[in-house]
Amino acid sequence: MADGVLPTIRTFQVFPDLPGELEPLLDLARNLWWVWNPDAVELFRRLDRKLWEDVYHNPVKMLGSIAQSKLQQAAKDDAFRAHLNRVSTSFKEHLNQPGWFNEKYPEKSKMLVAYFSAEFGLHESLPIYSGGLGILAGDHLKSASELGLPLVSVGLLYRNGYFQQYLSGDGWQQEAYPELDFYNLPIEPMRYNDGSPVHIRVDLPDNAVFCKLWRANVGRVPLYLLDTNLQENAPADRDITSKLYGSGTDLRIKQEIVLGIGGVRALAALNISPTVFHMNEGHSAFLALERIRTLLETTHLNFDEARQQVMATNVFTTHTPVPAGIDTFSPETMLRFFRSMIPQLRLDDEGFLALGREDVSNKKQGFSMALLAIRLADNVNGVSALHGDVSRKMWHNVWPQVPADEVPIKHITNGIHVRTWLGQEIAFTLDRYLSDEWISSPSDQSVWEGVNQIPDEELWRAHERSRARLVGWARQSLRDQLLRRGAPYDELNTADQVLDPEALTIGFARRFATYKRGNLLLRDMDRLKRILEESKKPVQFLFAGKAHPADNEGKDLIKQIIHFARDPMIRRKIVFLENYDMNVARYLVQGVDVWLNTPRRPYEASGTSGMKAACNGVLNCSILDGWWVEGYAPDLGWAIGRGETYSDSNYQDAVESQALYDILEKQIIPLFYQRSVDNIPHEWIARMKNCMRKLAPVFNTNRMVRDYAEKFYLSAFNRGEVLSADGMKRAIELAHSKIQLRDRWGGIRIVGVHTSGNGHFKVGQAMQVEALVDLPGLDPKDVTVQLYAGPVNARGEIEEPQALAMQHSKGLAPDRHLFVGKIDCRSSGRHGFAIRVLPGTVDLATPFEPGLIIWN
């Protein structure tokens, strides 16, 4: 080849060649339904068990790599063909069954939800996820498929995925970014009818970037993935979808523009017209701007009118409990990237920037993606009851005069897809003692009551097999880790002897961020060593987790664990497993006895790993944060502390580490080794059964997705239909009503309040309250007047308030009106009330949405 001359590369694709009898295997491999169906997993594993591990459980790659002789052998094997027929039949039944949604809401056939997320954790063979957010999104799709919910999903296809973790000899985390082979993954490029690939365009400040569309099938839910690695794009733009959560402000905003704006355009290019849009975290919030821009392009609406229609049909879920965890861009960055879109939105620069500012008058304040989503969605929620409360307080300044508990942010507690995370040994036991509905209706509490019918011995043996499988796999994984590090021979031999398949096994696996306190257990190393050195009641720990590549403090936590585990007296009792992913997580949540979680409250928005453990009968020991506030009961597991908060984090760590040691020494270890004559820990098993029976039907994504459907999706769909009717007549009227209210709100006055009685009442009596309210330029129907009443505490604050409507009685003079209400005296003690005026416009999603409120 002459210097400087590049060859012309002509590509072609090679497909697996399967005997006719095995062709259904291709359909199964290309739909991720198989990942939560153990019989389908076993079908692929049966073809070649070693190859299944070598291709990291990727059936598409396996079918393209397996020896033709093995395929021919399987085609002639009656038992394999029968197995294939059984799995294929089950797959077709899943695709064709109506599902819960269609059976309950047949009249809502026009509803279609578009679910946007920056990451999706569906399986380890498709590594386009980093952790809990992505795995939750993947479980959301699986449950949507099972429920028959009309839903499509949109994400990015990262060719390097999230980083692969390995440790240096000193225990310092290193990162590798191997490229994904898209053509050996369960995805396919989208094409038009003429066979040409579907590409969409997104404009950036200096040029346009083109995106290729791919599709993954998750049961009956399509996942559309955008890929910028095209020759038409500049080298820097080809890297937009190279790594999940790329570093640098410009790369991050480009990724979020491609996800949000590009995602909306991708659905349009495919002629898909969602009626509801769900933003899973703020990464995709730019979709709301693109929806408004598109509406303005095709109508004569102004921004406020178009915004009203788009807000009605947007849902936003926040997963972040601290403002620092939210993507925020400088005003200069926003103006540079949106210079061409701002006029299309019919806004000026300040009007545009105000959408993402907490204080709209502060021109130096950054542009928050979460605030953009909050301001452009009528439905906003946190992911646990505690996180909902934290979020209302965190964003209280957006509605400054609204009491924090009435800030219009709700909550839907996260869950997990039970069948994805349930161990094969436990699943087999459930099959024997529960009805089939534990699979078809996993959120039905009554179905799980059958767990009590499982003999203690049988459940314990199933769990022991899971633990033994974990120990065997952990030994092999540790040996592989040491080999990659070039460890000496004697250290390799040690790997074969770590862990005891019968010892109390405690797991800690999660992202190694400092607030998750991965080293809390190490705070008193001498006390921990005494626990580990006990030979009559052995205890062992398994750790796993990744630190963000830029988080040196998180990396140092991992290093501390590695160094501690090298003590010759305990090195067989502590193992750190590299490269935490869904495969590692499955082994851990299925095989440990206790799941340990030690976040600094209240920074764990939800946490789902403990839910995965619980459905396997694994007991949780956790700080009362996130989901465990709702899940904890003394007969289910252990709470570290009682939900206290501390101003001194060092003192908090000291107190809670000692509480953890006490729980281990005085409760967990004695209970685990409290055995009957047949060596069965009956009290421990009683708690295992309670976990499965009480937690599995509640903390699962079938319940969660049903909640989203009934609390948000259906109301957003219905509201969108109402506002869009007659050329969006009511959306336009609502926008104008809000403008009128804002213009005239400052003139509202509560000029007089009169109450019946002398301020002393008996239980059962009622106090009548009259209020004189001036409403210049407004009709009484434009407002809601309320009594805000309840018991008064020692600080003079109303606790557990009730909002009681006051009725318009009559007009007394021009613009002056009398409103009347009453307060029932249901309990003794000191009570109080205030009067407030709120917007009363019928079509408002919530009276608090405009942020207008008058108190007397």
Side-chain angles (χ1 to χ4, degrees):
M1 182 170 60
D3 291 344
V5 177
L6 296 176
T8 299
I9 299 175
R10 297 171 177 84
T11 63
F12 60 94
Q13 192 169 349
V14 179
F15 297 92
D17 180 21
L18 271 63
E21 300 91 334
L22 302 186
E23 284 186 358
L25 280 173
L26 279 175
D27 291 333
L28 292 169
R30 290 170 178 160
N31 190 308
L32 288 153
W33 169 87
W34 65 266
V35 307
W36 72 90
N37 288 273
D39 203 24
V41 174
E42 183 56 35
L43 178 71
F44 290 115
R45 182 187 286 119
R46 184 173 177 172
L47 282 170
D48 188 326
R49 294 183 185 276
K50 183 178 184 305
L51 181 60
W52 179 250
E53 298 301 325
D54 291 343
V55 299
Y56 210 47
H57 319 141
N58 178 351
V60 175
K61 189 171 183 178
M62 182 183 195
L63 294 178
S65 307
I66 194 169
Q68 290 297 126
S69 59
K70 292 196 173 184
L71 291 175
Q72 294 293 344
Q73 183 181 349
K76 297 175 183 177
D77 185 337
D78 291 343
F80 184 87
R81 291 203 312 272
H83 190 174
L84 172 58
N85 183 62
R86 181 173 71 246
V87 172
S88 184
T89 299
S90 180
F91 173 53
K92 290 174 183 174
E93 287 175 352
H94 174 80
L95 296 182
N96 294 322
Q97 65 185 5
W100 161 83
F101 185 83
N102 291 307
E103 290 177 345
K104 187 168 184 181
Y105 300 102
E107 74 281 5
K108 302 299 180 183
S109 59
K110 292 182 180 179
M111 188 180 87
L112 178 63
V113 179
Y115 181 88
F116 282 62
S117 182
E119 50 175 302
F120 287 90
L122 294 157
H123 189 255
E124 61 268 18
S125 64
L126 185 60
I128 55 172
Y129 64 95
S130 69
L133 177 71
I135 291 171
L136 176 84
D139 283 4
H140 194 112
L141 304 193
K142 295 169 187 176
S143 286
S145 181
E146 289 186 335
L147 295 168
L149 184 71
L151 183 143
V152 300
S153 48
V154 178
L156 301 180
L157 184 58
Y158 307 96
R159 72 174 183 274
N160 297 113
Y162 200 51
F163 71 89
Q164 303 285 301
Q165 176 200 53
Y166 65 99
L167 302 180
S168 70
D170 192 40
W172 191 256
Q173 174 181 291
Q174 307 289 317
E175 296 90 30
Y177 292 90
E179 284 208 2
L180 300 184
D181 179 1
F182 293 172
Y183 293 93
N184 274 313
L185 289 174
I187 58 176
E188 58 181 351
M190 296 304 297
R191 300 185 183 278
Y192 292 113
N193 292 335
D194 63 2
S196 61
V198 178
H199 288 179
I200 60 102
R201 168 181 168 150
V202 176
D203 293 318
L204 296 177
D206 301 320
N207 59 308
V209 61
F210 295 90
C211 308
K212 182 176 181 178
L213 301 188
W214 299 75
R215 171 174 169 154
N217 293 307
V218 186
R220 45 186 157 180
V221 171
L223 167 59
Y224 297 104
L225 300 165
L226 287 84
D227 168 24
T228 65
N229 186 27
L230 301 176
Q231 289 185 352
E232 302 97 294
N233 290 330
D237 293 338
R238 294 182 70 165
D239 286 341
I240 291 174
T241 56
S242 61
K243 298 174 184 176
L244 177 57
Y245 301 136
S247 59
T249 299
D250 275 16
L251 179 56
R252 180 61 72 90
I253 196 171
K254 287 178 182 179
Q255 288 185 329
E256 298 186 355
I257 287 171
V258 168
L259 175 61
I261 296 175
V264 172
R265 294 181 184 180
L267 294 177
L270 297 170
N271 292 317
I272 296 172
S273 302
T275 55
V276 177
F277 285 74
H278 186 171
M279 298 171 276
N280 187 44
E281 247 320 339
H283 308 114
S284 60
F286 291 141
L287 73 81
L289 298 178
E290 174 64 9
R291 293 189 65 205
I292 293 171
R293 187 199 66 79
T294 303
L295 202 51
L296 292 173
E297 188 177 60
T298 56
T299 65
H300 296 292
L301 303 178
N302 62 36
F303 176 83
D304 287 326
E305 294 164 347
R307 172 188 184 175
Q308 203 60 62
Q309 177 65 34
V310 167
M311 284 178 65
T313 52
N314 276 350
V315 176
F316 170 53
T317 298
T318 174
H319 296 258
T320 310
V322 288
I326 292 163
D327 284 342
T328 302
F329 302 110
S330 70
E332 295 76 20
T333 298
M334 290 301 298
L335 293 177
R336 178 160 54 92
F337 276 89
F338 286 86
R339 176 59 60 202
S340 63
M341 181 183 265
I342 293 172
Q344 296 174 30
L345 294 171
R346 301 175 191 171
L347 291 173
D348 59 20
D349 289 357
E350 287 306 311
F352 172 75
L353 292 172
L355 293 170
R357 286 175 174 159
E358 187 170 350
D359 179 358
V360 296
S361 64
N362 184 350
K363 296 186 178 182
K364 294 182 180 179
Q365 200 169 73
F367 189 100
S368 162
M369 294 297 287
L371 272 171
L372 175 66
I374 287 171
R375 286 209 170 99
L376 296 180
D378 276 347
N379 299 285
V380 181
N381 71 285
V383 290
S384 69
L386 178 60
H387 182 235
D389 186 55
V390 168
S391 298
R392 285 187 286 274
K393 290 182 172 70
M394 185 165 76
W395 300 116
H396 186 208
N397 287 342
V398 179
W399 300 271
Q401 296 187 68
V402 176
D405 60 350
E406 291 186 297
V407 165
I409 299 176
K410 302 173 185 176
H411 83 273
I412 290 180
T413 300
N414 282 345
I416 55 109
H417 186 260
V418 171
R419 292 186 71 198
T420 293
W421 299 103
L422 200 63
Q424 59 192 32
E425 296 85 2
I426 297 295
F428 178 76
T429 305
L430 295 180
D431 281 339
R432 293 187 64 184
Y433 290 95
L434 272 62
S435 73
D436 290 343
E437 290 187 356
W438 82 265
I439 293 175
S440 59
S441 302
S443 57
D444 185 342
Q445 181 83 49
S446 64
V447 173
W448 289 88
E449 292 298 325
V451 168
N452 282 334
Q453 304 304 315
I454 302 173
D456 285 2
E457 298 81 0
E458 196 160 340
L459 182 59
W460 186 243
R461 297 306 172 216
H463 177 66
E464 286 194 310
R465 287 193 295 273
S466 298
R467 191 194 314 118
R469 185 162 54 87
L470 166 64
V471 168
W473 173 82
R475 288 172 176 171
Q476 183 60 51
S477 296
L478 181 59
R479 185 178 181 84
D480 292 342
Q481 290 174 202
L482 295 172
L483 275 171
R484 287 192 294 270
R485 284 184 221 162
Y489 181 76
D490 60 338
E491 198 171 343
L492 291 177
N493 284 341
T494 303
D496 296 330
Q497 302 168 33
V498 299
L499 306 176
D500 177 350
E502 295 184 358
L504 171 61
T505 304
I506 300 174
F508 180 99
R510 54 200 22 89
R511 182 165 55 91
F512 267 77
T514 50
Y515 81 87
K516 291 180 181 283
R517 298 190 295 182
N519 63 342
L520 188 69
L521 190 66
L522 308 184
R523 191 169 176 92
D524 186 340
M525 292 189 184
D526 291 336
R527 189 171 180 184
L528 179 58
K529 283 180 180 178
R530 289 195 297 273
I531 293 172
L532 291 168
E533 289 170 356
E534 171 60 56
S535 59
K536 293 183 180 179
K537 296 178 179 178
V539 181
Q540 57 199 14
F541 291 87
L542 280 159
F543 288 87
K546 297 177 178 179
H548 188 278
D551 183 5
N552 286 333
E553 289 184 84
K555 291 181 179 181
D556 191 60
L557 297 180
I558 295 172
K559 182 179 175 181
Q560 289 177 38
I561 294 168
I562 298 297
H563 281 235
F564 177 75
R566 286 177 177 165
D567 186 313
M569 299 300 294
I570 60 172
R571 65 182 178 184
R572 291 184 174 88
K573 305 285 187 73
I574 294 186
V575 171
F576 187 96
L577 297 164
E578 292 178 1
N579 205 32
Y580 184 44
D581 67 356
M582 292 182 72
N583 183 49
V584 176
R586 275 198 304 273
Y587 277 103
L588 288 171
V589 299
Q590 294 167 10
V592 300
D593 300 295
V594 176
W595 194 257
L596 181 62
N597 188 30
T598 55
R600 185 173 285 119
R601 179 184 163 108
Y603 298 136
E604 184 89 291
S606 171
T608 53
S609 58
M611 303 174 190
K612 296 161 190 157
C615 74
N616 283 284
V618 172
L619 309 187
N620 275 263
C621 176
S622 175
I623 299 292
L624 282 170
D625 200 7
W627 81 282
W628 194 230
V629 177
E630 299 167 64
Y632 168 71
D635 62 346
L636 299 175
W638 296 273
I640 304 169
R642 290 294 175 266
E644 303 90 346
T645 56
Y646 301 80
S647 57
D648 184 337
S649 60
N650 188 57
Y651 177 72
Q652 180 177 358
D653 292 352
V655 169
E656 292 178 342
S657 65
Q658 293 302 312
L660 173 56
Y661 296 132
D662 285 345
I663 291 171
L664 286 170
E665 293 170 339
K666 299 174 184 178
Q667 299 182 51
I668 293 176
I669 297 171
L671 185 67
F672 183 83
Y673 286 105
Q674 181 183 318
R675 305 295 175 97
S676 60
V677 292
D678 54 358
N679 198 33
I680 302 293
H682 292 285
E683 288 298 319
W684 187 278
I685 295 168
R687 292 195 183 204
M688 289 176 63
K689 290 181 177 180
N690 288 341
C691 266
M692 298 166 71
R693 186 170 54 84
K694 295 182 179 180
L695 300 180
V698 176
F699 297 98
N700 73 65
T701 43
N702 283 52
R703 184 274 310 157
M704 181 193 83
V705 171
R706 242 187 24 233
D707 282 353
Y708 275 109
E710 296 189 319
K711 294 179 180 180
F712 289 155
Y713 297 161
L714 284 167
S715 64
F717 171 72
N718 292 337
R719 186 165 156 73
E721 292 273 279
V722 168
L723 294 184
S724 65
D726 299 325
M728 288 186 249
K729 178 183 176 183
R730 287 174 68 170
I732 294 169
E733 289 175 350
L734 178 56
H736 291 180
S737 296
K738 287 165 69 174
I739 292 170
Q740 181 185 46
L741 281 170
R742 288 192 177 100
D743 288 344
R744 299 178 183 179
W745 198 257
I748 297 176
R749 296 285 185 276
I750 301 171
V751 294
V753 177
H754 175 74
T755 64
S756 63
N758 59 0
H760 296 83
F761 297 88
K762 292 183 178 180
V763 173
Q765 292 182 325
M767 180 175 74
Q768 182 166 302
V769 182
E770 297 178 345
L772 292 176
V773 183
D774 283 351
L775 300 172
L778 292 170
D779 188 280
K781 294 179 182 178
D782 294 332
V783 300
T784 297
V785 182
Q786 292 179 336
L787 290 163
Y788 186 80
V792 174
N793 62 24
R795 298 183 299 276
E797 301 164 340
I798 295 177
E799 291 186 335
E800 301 177 8
Q802 283 186 301
L804 306 171
M806 300 184 75
Q807 304 301 317
H808 180 256
S809 174
K810 56 186 174 181
L812 298 177
D815 297 327
R816 178 162 293 182
H817 300 269
L818 176 66
F819 289 84
V820 179
K822 70 169 185 172
I823 301 172
D824 292 322
C825 303
R826 294 191 173 94
S827 62
S828 61
R830 188 183 180 208
H831 293 254
F833 74 92
I835 295 176
R836 66 187 185 185
V837 182
L838 298 168
T841 306
V842 173
D843 285 329
L844 281 172
T846 161
F848 303 112
E849 180 260 309
L852 302 174
I853 186 168
I854 298 288
W855 293 90
N856 75 311

